[in-house]
Amino acid sequence: MTALLSFRNVWVEYGDKIVLERVGLDIDAGSFVSIVGPSGAGKSSFLRLVLGQEAPSRGEVLLDGQPMRAECGPDRGIVFQRYSVLPHLDARRNVLFGLECAGARVTGRLFGAARRRALEEVDAMLDAVGLLSAGGTYPAQMSGGMQQRLAIAQALITRPRILLLDEPFGALDPGIRKDMHALITRLWREYSLTVIMVTHDIGEAFALGTRVLTFDKRRHDPHAPHRYGATATYDIALERKTEVQGSDAE
Amino acid sequence: MRLVNIRPGRATSLVLGILPVAALVFVYVLASASRHAINPGDRILPTPAAMVSAMHTLMFVPDPMTGRLTLWADTLASLQRLCLGLAISTLSALIVGLALGLVPLVRALFGPLVTIIALIPPIALLPILFIMFGLGETAKVMLIIIGILPVMIRDVAAHVETLPTEQMLKAQTLGASSWQLAIRVALPQMMPRLIHALRLALGPAWVFLISAEAIAADIGLGYRIFLVRRYLAMDIILPYVAWIALLAIALDWLLRLANRRLFPWAGSS
Ligand SMILES: Nc1ncnc2c1ncn2[C@@H]1O[C@H](COP(=O)(O)OP(=O)(O)OP(=O)(O)O)[C@@H](O)[C@H]1O
Ligand SMILES: [Mg+2]
């Protein structure tokens, strides 16, 4: 079986600054990959590759064995630490957005029966992240945790196969974070997702992941630190037996 | 308590706001009265009574030459030019600003041109406009447009550019095309800024309107005050200026109200 995502000797360079070098990895479908590493190690750059926002400067990224197109698409969803939701839409419309993009190429809006059907799907998704009662709320009126829940619901409505998370819970307080861990674990299972999550919290990385990658520089030139890039230095497979506990774990 | 921490309440704010205006009016009335005590024929600081009677004539007595009620005819003519200029500018700023802010190719193509045009003093173009469009309405409306449009475009485009990259990426992962990004993500978030830019453009728009009317017109608020200036008719000029200020305030207030009503999500973020 071929891996869902393969990195073959991938390099990311900006000018003469090497950010990632010689990254060779296979990521299996259904895995939950946590990525940790020092700031500036290229974790976000790695996600950008998977997202298709950028192409590698050398090497290739394969999706299902096929070279990946360097453009975002609905099979890969993402949640950033901030700014992941649309501030001018309330929660329901934020989630509806993905369905409207697919269903109404010209107007970008669904009407009538199509809209009602889509809204049923939206409400089910809002329910899954515990936001059903906040459907008419605008992001600015939501807490950080609610906004991230919304961002996840919004990302999942288009049924992506891969969900990318870039420090998604970095701005949340520890209690809320626990709830979010339970939520993302449940969604990962229910929607058979492949999750790649960047985090600065080692505990979080090991609690959630089926695999933990650390990104760091192997070599270091003190006179020209930009001449060497980071790569996956540790690759730890984990057996996930323990359930993450949290108030909304079912 | 520190001065910076004293916050006046609603009623106090109102009284405080009225105070300087009332003081100004009071000083004017005093100065006017004292000048008239020395010279009853003084034209520089007309008494309130003289202004009221002059305005009464302009408001309610048809002009013997044209048969029009002067103030209302002037107001209508000026507002027509102003609103036409504002409407065309706003619509153009919406389309061009959106394209410029969202599409790097369009920005590369037209960004420098807009910057250059924005740097030309519009009044310097007035002779060209009069030559090209004649002395009629078109030239005056064009002056307003040329005067405010480049700034509006730049303001709106800059705002679209500062929309977080994360948001644009997220929308794309949800399947949004360039067109859908424009109409569903960028445009709605641009609208409050566009109205705001329009509010800021109101001041310059009045300046260009009155300049154009002062130079070539036979009707309009700006035309009137420059016409009666020859007779030192301060009893007409002062009320006209106050009336123009009142119209400007009303327009600004309307736009602010529209922004609050139409885009409730924008205020709190
Ligand atoms: N567009 C770019 N042009 C030049 N350099 C860039 C660009 N994007 C990222 N970099 C550089 O690449 C390096 C890695 O950036 P990246 O954002 O991937 O780090 P990170 O591991 O996500 O860090 P953090 O933990 O702080 O988020 C940084 O040194 C950054 O300066
Ligand atoms: Mg990062």
Side-chain angles (χ1 to χ4, degrees), chain A residues 135-153:
Chain A
T137 319
Y138 285 99
Q141 303 157 342
M142 292 181 173
S143 68
M146 287 166 81
Q147 288 191 22
Q148 291 307 75
R149 282 167 192 271
L150 179 58
I152 292 170

Side-chain angles (χ1 to χ4, degrees), chain A residues 204-217:
Chain A
E204 182 174 273
F206 279 89
L208 295 182
T210 58
R211 183 178 176 189
V212 175
L213 294 175
T214 65
F215 274 55
D216 207 350
K217 295 186 181 187

Side-chain angles (χ1 to χ4, degrees), chain A residues 6 14-15 25 68 134 143 153 174 200:
Chain A
S6 304
Y14 297 108
L25 285 172
M68 197 163 71
S143 68
H200 276 284

Side-chain angles (χ1 to χ4, degrees), chain A residues 39-40 42-45 48 166-167 198 200:
Chain A
S39 199
K43 305 180 297 293
S44 297
S45 306
R48 282 202 287 274
D166 196 348
E167 300 178 38
V198 170
H200 276 284

Side-chain angles (χ1 to χ4, degrees), chain B residues 19-20 25 38 44 46 54 92 111-112 123-124 128 135 150 167 169 207 211 241 266:
Chain B
L19 221 57
V25 171
I38 298 164
I44 306 303
S92 318
I123 297 285
I128 301 177
L135 297 180
Q167 224 182 75
L169 283 171
V207 173
S211 314
V241 170

